[in-house]
Amino acid sequence: MKRSTTNIAIIFLLTAATIIFEISLSRLFSYLLSFHFVLIIIAFSILGLGIGQITYAKYSEKIDHSLLWWMALPSISMFLSFTLLLVLSQIGVSSSTDFGLPIFILLSTVPFIAIGIVYAHIFEMDKRHVSTLYALDLIGAATGALASIFLLNAFGLVEVVAIAIGLLLLALIIALITVKNRYSKILVPLVLVVIFLMGFAKDALNFDIPVAKDPSKDLYRLMANPALKSEKLESRWSAFGKTDLVKFTYPDGTVSKSMFIDGAAGTDVISIDELAKDTVEMKRVLYGFPGIFAMNFLSEKEKDSVLIIGPGGGIDIAATYFMGFKYIEAAEVNPSFVALMKKYNPSTFNDKENIKVHVNEGRNFVVENKGKYDAVMLTIPVTKSSRGTDFYGLTENYLFTMEALADYLDGLTEDGAIYFTMHGRQEVYKMLANFLELQERMGVGQLEALKKVYIYSNEMNPVLVIKKNPFEQKTIEEAHKTAHYYGLDKEPFYFPYIEQEGLDTIVQNVNYKWYMFDDLLYDISKGSYAYDELWKTASINLSPVSDDSPYFFNYNNGIPDAMTTPLWLGLFIVGWFIVNHVNGWRSVSFSENTSIYMQRKFRAWALISFLLGFSYILIQGYLFQILNLKLSNPSQSFSLLLFTFLLGNGVGSLLTGTFKKNLSRKLIVYSALIVLVSLLTVYVLLPIWYKQLSEFWIALFLLLPSFFIGIPFPVLLKTASSLKEKKSIPYLLGISSVAGVAASIFAIVISILYGYRFVFLLGLFGYGVVIMLAYRLKTLKIVHT
């Protein structure tokens, strides 16, 4: 086997294993830790790739260049790192402890550093095939992204990580066979035995991973309660995360079952058949469900069909079933959740002819069934676990934007209504801000808009009801009186058509004020205040939320607290680059034979490399954000988009293998094409075809911009391969990698503050700067042509 063919195979296996391990780590930490800790750890982990590449470049002259020893590092470090992470979870170490988070970061980063070292070594030793190597790197990553879906759905998390380690061991075997030294005959059989044993250790690898001692995890709090006896009935890993079904036995002997997603978002399992047998229990369960109150005021023609988004353990399904809805549909995004419910709770999820549960993202599903439902219900559909490209966005964020609300309204019949059961007042205010802003954009003023709304609360879970058309005054008067009777008049409380009542008096020199309705909402409904006073006067962020900045659960004005540590990391990376660039990259320690002319070339290449790595992530983030809304499963959608994007990049990179001269001109031309094609895609093609695109065509659609985006960086690497200095390519790889980590962080911050559209434009600006730099270098004859 030729050395170049060997390197191509190794790079493919290396990057496929890396992306599988990265996605597996995100799933592990999403289960063990709070979502903002996941963001911090994954950001540091991916930074490890750049650290490894730069470390190799800096110390390459002082280390043994034997590929065999370096090839052993990734598999060994990945095994040890993941094993120690599991041990820490078993002994109860949490990221909330003083030393827990740094340990998690260190253990997660080490394998990526090892991978970065091997990666840089191969690129440095085979400069002539740099375009092909980079293309196979991207194609390998694309394969790993797609494979991770099927692997995580088919196997447990530990087994999937074992498969990633197996891919690294396979790469080691290829290296051993190619080198053919005295160690090969011993090591090849030994590694094969290890892989063989791993294949037969399925039962040993399929063990339960306990949730960490994190107070934010519902599962931990309940299982740690000494008054409850808990037993896990079944657990399942999938690309979505880990789903646990747990049975709890209370001191009085009663038993309940609850489902958890990633150790959070606990929901009670409700059986329709069991409730039907016990009317006392039925009343207790249904009366404890806040959303059922509003159903009492629906006519028979308003109960033909209902869609439940995020049915949980079945309380919404049971409530609508017993309240007489003729046809009930539910959309649940987690396939493991539905599978376990059909197995353990069939009467609610499977056995009734008028109940149909779909595995689908709720918003996507309601768009597909426009104008069909008398009711759309969302009862706290919150997973509290990270998803998507940035590991900051929650699965449910896109359920609570203005555009989502518009989709729900379009999904209703003319007499239909949406029922939001929320956690607290702030969520009600924020969704109401969405509604009022949406109505204003549709030409409906605040006085008319608030005739379509009423709010009641049991003090814990307020319910916001939004009707497609204004409520009848008679219905509102009846509901208002009944709400007072049942004690559902706690704050926030509002009904249209009803006059405000209040009390303002002084008792023992203390001024007491009481208002029946939320005073601000009432004044807005009467026109005393403009509707935007709802969020402008708030001390927290209650502004309307759009798909362009879909962070419904961000209540911070400005940068969220959870982003503080990642932001400092991003600023450190940018500062590190600026200091090195201003100092002329003295840390590179060029050899004495390297001329000033060549050092100036490297300095220019370093700046272009940083800009390309930064802009690449910004454009990718925006494209993923707008296309992900069309796909039906968040975790699978992300992997599909990532596969397509990386595949397109890889094909574009392969094209650069045919480039022989005029490289600086090609860098200019293809960077300009990225800007033009991206603008054409976002502002022309997507608006025309967006509503008609299926998931398959979205994947193909993404190939167009991704093909061109994959070209400039390998062109830069080919240009740098002409420099005889043995450090240029590893340094450029490392600079691009760390730039990508910083860009991922800044993309989140910028999208929170200004929206993803600004992220996109900033990415295009970055490519524009690349064009100007490349043109200037060309005219000054600094870049080799």
Side-chain angles (χ1 to χ4, degrees):
M1 188 182 292
K2 293 182 179 180
R3 176 59 63 89
S4 60
T5 305
T6 300
N7 289 338
I8 289 170
I10 290 172
I11 283 291
F12 178 85
L13 293 170
L14 189 70
T15 52
T18 301
I19 199 73
I20 291 172
F21 184 62
E22 178 191 332
I23 292 174
S24 298
L25 273 187
S26 72
R27 301 276 39 86
L28 173 68
F29 286 125
S30 189
Y31 176 66
L32 291 178
L33 314 172
S34 299
F35 75 94
H36 52 281
F37 288 127
V38 179
L39 168 69
I40 295 169
I41 295 171
I42 296 299
F44 273 97
S45 299
I46 300 173
L47 180 64
L49 287 173
I51 293 173
Q53 291 158 354
I54 293 171
T55 299
Y56 176 86
K58 193 173 181 63
Y59 299 103
S60 61
E61 295 178 354
K62 302 177 182 178
I63 58 179
D64 180 8
H65 282 233
S66 171
L67 178 61
L68 295 181
W69 304 116
W70 292 117
M71 277 305 306
L73 282 178
S75 54
I76 294 172
S77 62
M78 189 179 290
F79 170 76
L80 293 176
S81 172
F82 192 73
T83 301
L84 288 172
L85 286 171
L86 294 181
V87 170
L88 290 178
S89 70
Q90 294 279 357
I91 63 177
V93 174
S94 168
S95 63
S96 57
T97 62
D98 292 337
F99 63 92
L101 185 58
I103 291 178
F104 280 128
I105 290 173
L106 177 62
L107 291 177
S108 303
T109 304
V110 168
F112 290 93
I113 294 175
I115 291 167
I117 290 172
V118 174
Y119 188 92
H121 177 87
I122 294 173
F123 270 78
E124 180 60 31
M125 294 297 103
D126 198 4
K127 287 183 178 181
R128 292 188 305 119
H129 301 96
V130 66
S131 294
T132 306
L133 289 174
Y134 190 72
L136 266 294
D137 163 50
L138 293 167
I139 294 171
T143 304
L146 191 62
S148 65
I149 298 175
F150 301 101
L151 292 174
L152 286 167
N153 287 336
F155 302 102
L157 184 68
V158 180
E159 294 170 286
V160 174
V161 173
I163 291 171
I165 295 171
L167 292 176
L168 295 178
L169 291 174
L170 184 59
L172 176 58
I173 288 176
I174 294 173
L176 287 167
I177 293 173
T178 304
V179 174
K180 295 181 180 178
N181 65 14
R182 59 179 179 175
Y183 299 108
S184 300
K185 294 181 179 180
I186 301 174
L187 292 176
V188 170
L190 181 61
V191 176
L192 284 172
V193 168
V194 171
I195 296 176
F196 182 79
L197 291 175
M198 288 171 59
F200 279 87
K202 183 177 179 181
D203 293 337
L205 295 174
N206 190 19
F207 59 86
D208 186 58
I209 301 174
V211 67
K213 295 181 178 179
D214 190 326
S216 68
K217 295 293 185 180
D218 300 339
L219 180 57
Y220 164 69
R221 291 200 311 272
L222 290 170
M223 294 190 74
N225 187 342
L228 299 177
K229 182 181 178 181
S230 57
E231 176 190 356
K232 282 189 181 181
L233 298 179
E234 191 169 341
S235 298
R236 294 191 184 187
W237 284 99
S238 70
F240 192 86
K242 190 184 183 190
T243 305
D244 294 295
L245 176 61
V246 184
K247 182 174 77 172
F248 294 102
T249 304
Y250 299 88
D252 62 359
T254 57
V255 174
S256 71
K257 298 174 186 175
S258 295
M259 294 278 285
F260 300 86
I261 302 175
D262 282 341
T267 176
D268 291 336
V269 175
I270 305 298
S271 169
I272 288 177
D273 285 354
E274 290 182 8
L275 291 183
K277 296 175 183 177
D278 188 341
T279 55
V280 174
E281 179 65 9
M282 179 197 297
K283 289 180 180 179
R284 185 193 70 79
V285 170
L286 296 184
Y287 287 167
F289 174 60
I292 202 169
F293 170 80
M295 299 180 205
N296 288 286
F297 307 100
L298 300 178
S299 65
E300 284 303 309
K301 69 175 184 177
E302 293 175 308
K303 294 193 288 186
D304 286 331
S305 60
V306 57
L307 173 65
I308 298 164
I309 296 177
I315 180 61
D316 306 69
I317 297 176
T320 52
Y321 178 84
F322 286 113
M323 291 302 293
F325 276 87
K326 300 177 182 65
Y327 187 68
I328 302 165
E329 288 189 280
E332 170 57 51
V333 72
N334 184 357
S336 296
F337 207 118
V338 175
L340 286 174
M341 282 295 89
K342 286 185 175 181
K343 178 179 179 180
Y344 290 92
N345 190 14
S347 71
T348 304
F349 277 74
N350 199 48
D351 292 349
K352 303 292 184 290
E353 291 185 0
N354 66 330
I355 298 175
K356 180 69 174 177
V357 180
H358 306 270
V359 178
N360 205 322
E361 191 275 322
R363 178 177 169 185
N364 183 282
F365 187 80
V366 77
V367 169
E368 294 174 358
N369 294 276
K370 185 176 181 180
K372 180 178 178 181
Y373 301 105
D374 293 308
V376 173
M377 301 187 67
L378 296 94
T379 303
I380 322 179
V382 179
T383 64
K384 299 181 185 177
S385 60
S386 60
R387 300 285 183 269
T389 58
D390 51 38
F391 302 105
Y392 179 78
L394 300 175
T395 304
E396 57 274 0
N397 268 326
Y398 284 105
L399 294 176
F400 299 124
T401 64
M402 284 186 288
E403 294 85 349
L405 187 54
D407 289 337
Y408 303 147
L409 290 171
D410 287 342
L412 295 172
T413 60
E414 289 304 308
D415 293 323
I418 312 168
Y419 302 83
F420 291 101
T421 302
M422 310 296 238
H423 283 103
R425 173 189 288 197
Q426 71 276 11
E427 291 182 10
V428 172
Y429 280 171
K430 203 158 189 174
M431 182 53 69
L432 200 56
N434 282 351
F435 177 68
L436 292 173
E437 179 68 16
L438 177 65
Q439 291 286 287
E440 180 70 18
R441 295 181 182 183
M442 296 170 63
V444 179
Q446 62 191 46
L447 275 67
E448 189 68 16
L450 283 172
K451 292 178 182 178
K452 304 176 183 180
V453 172
Y454 70 84
I455 305 165
Y456 60 91
S457 175
N458 61 4
E459 207 165 30
M460 290 185 63
N461 295 125
V463 177
L464 168 64
V465 183
I466 299 176
K467 207 168 189 294
K468 190 167 187 176
N469 293 302
F471 283 100
E472 294 182 0
Q473 184 169 343
K474 181 180 178 181
T475 301
I476 289 298
E477 288 174 349
E478 182 184 0
H480 170 243
K481 291 179 182 178
T482 310
H484 281 298
Y485 180 81
Y486 284 105
L488 297 175
D489 52 0
K490 309 299 188 295
E491 295 185 354
F493 187 58
Y494 168 77
F495 282 80
Y497 306 116
I498 311 296
E499 292 299 319
Q500 173 76 292
E501 293 186 16
L503 180 66
D504 188 346
T505 186
I506 296 176
V507 179
Q508 295 181 351
N509 297 322
V510 177
N511 185 216
Y512 286 93
K513 290 184 179 181
W514 170 84
Y515 295 101
M516 180 175 66
F517 293 138
D518 185 294
D519 201 35
L520 176 59
L521 295 184
Y522 181 80
D523 287 342
I524 291 174
S525 72
K526 294 300 181 182
S528 301
Y529 293 112
Y531 73 98
D532 57 359
E533 292 294 321
L534 180 62
W535 59 87
K536 285 184 178 179
T537 58
S539 59
I540 60 176
N541 176 20
L542 296 177
S543 300
V545 180
S546 70
D547 285 345
D548 194 44
S549 183
Y551 303 100
F552 183 86
F553 294 98
N554 171 35
Y555 292 103
N556 292 92
N557 287 309
I559 299 171
D561 295 337
M563 286 303 301
T564 302
T565 300
L567 182 58
W568 278 114
L569 174 61
L571 291 171
F572 173 81
I573 291 171
V574 173
W576 167 84
F577 177 81
I578 291 173
V579 169
N580 277 281
H581 190 72
V582 170
N583 291 332
W585 291 96
R586 294 175 185 171
S587 61
V588 175
S589 302
F590 290 105
S591 64
E592 295 179 0
N593 297 326
T594 306
S595 65
I596 299 297
Y597 170 75
M598 299 302 287
Q599 291 181 36
R600 290 178 65 190
K601 287 178 102 174
F602 178 82
R603 191 166 181 259
W605 293 335
L607 179 56
I608 293 174
S609 180
F610 191 87
L611 287 170
L612 287 175
F614 207 92
S615 301
Y616 173 96
I617 293 297
L618 297 184
I619 299 294
Q620 180 200 62
Y622 177 75
L623 290 174
F624 282 20
Q625 182 265 340
I626 57 175
L627 292 177
N628 193 55
L629 292 172
K630 290 290 292 182
L631 303 176
S632 59
N633 186 301
S635 55
Q636 293 186 18
S637 299
F638 165 62
S639 293
L640 178 62
L641 291 175
L642 187 58
F643 166 76
T644 306
F645 192 80
L646 291 171
L647 181 63
N649 295 162
V651 175
S653 182
L654 278 176
L655 176 67
T656 65
T658 63
F659 297 170
K660 303 300 181 183
K661 52 185 179 179
N662 296 323
L663 296 180
S664 60
R665 184 181 301 171
K666 288 181 171 61
L667 183 59
I668 295 170
V669 170
Y670 283 99
S671 295
L673 281 172
I674 289 172
V675 176
L676 293 175
V677 170
S678 297
L679 289 171
L680 176 69
T681 300
V682 170
Y683 291 105
V684 180
L685 301 180
L686 269 177
I688 294 174
W689 291 324
Y690 187 73
K691 290 185 179 180
Q692 290 77 31
L693 288 176
S694 65
E695 293 195 12
F696 173 77
W697 286 107
I698 283 174
L700 289 181
F701 192 85
L702 194 56
L703 286 174
L704 177 64
S706 65
F707 171 81
F708 292 100
I709 290 172
I711 293 175
F713 188 63
V715 170
L716 180 67
L717 293 179
K718 286 197 72 168
T719 306
S721 66
S722 64
L723 185 63
K724 294 182 180 180
E725 186 65 47
K726 293 184 178 180
K727 305 169 183 177
S728 57
I729 289 182
Y731 261 114
L732 294 180
L733 289 169
I735 289 169
S736 177
S737 294
V738 299
V741 174
S744 298
I745 295 167
F746 284 113
I748 302 169
V749 173
I750 294 168
S751 67
I752 290 172
L753 298 178
Y754 306 108
Y756 270 104
R757 187 60 61 96
F758 193 83
V759 171
F760 172 68
L761 295 175
L762 188 61
L764 294 184
F765 176 77
Y767 280 108
V769 175
V770 168
I771 294 169
M772 291 188 291
L773 286 171
Y775 180 77
R776 183 180 177 188
L777 291 171
K778 180 179 180 297
T779 57
L780 293 174
K781 296 183 179 181
I782 293 178
V783 175
H784 176 65
T785 58

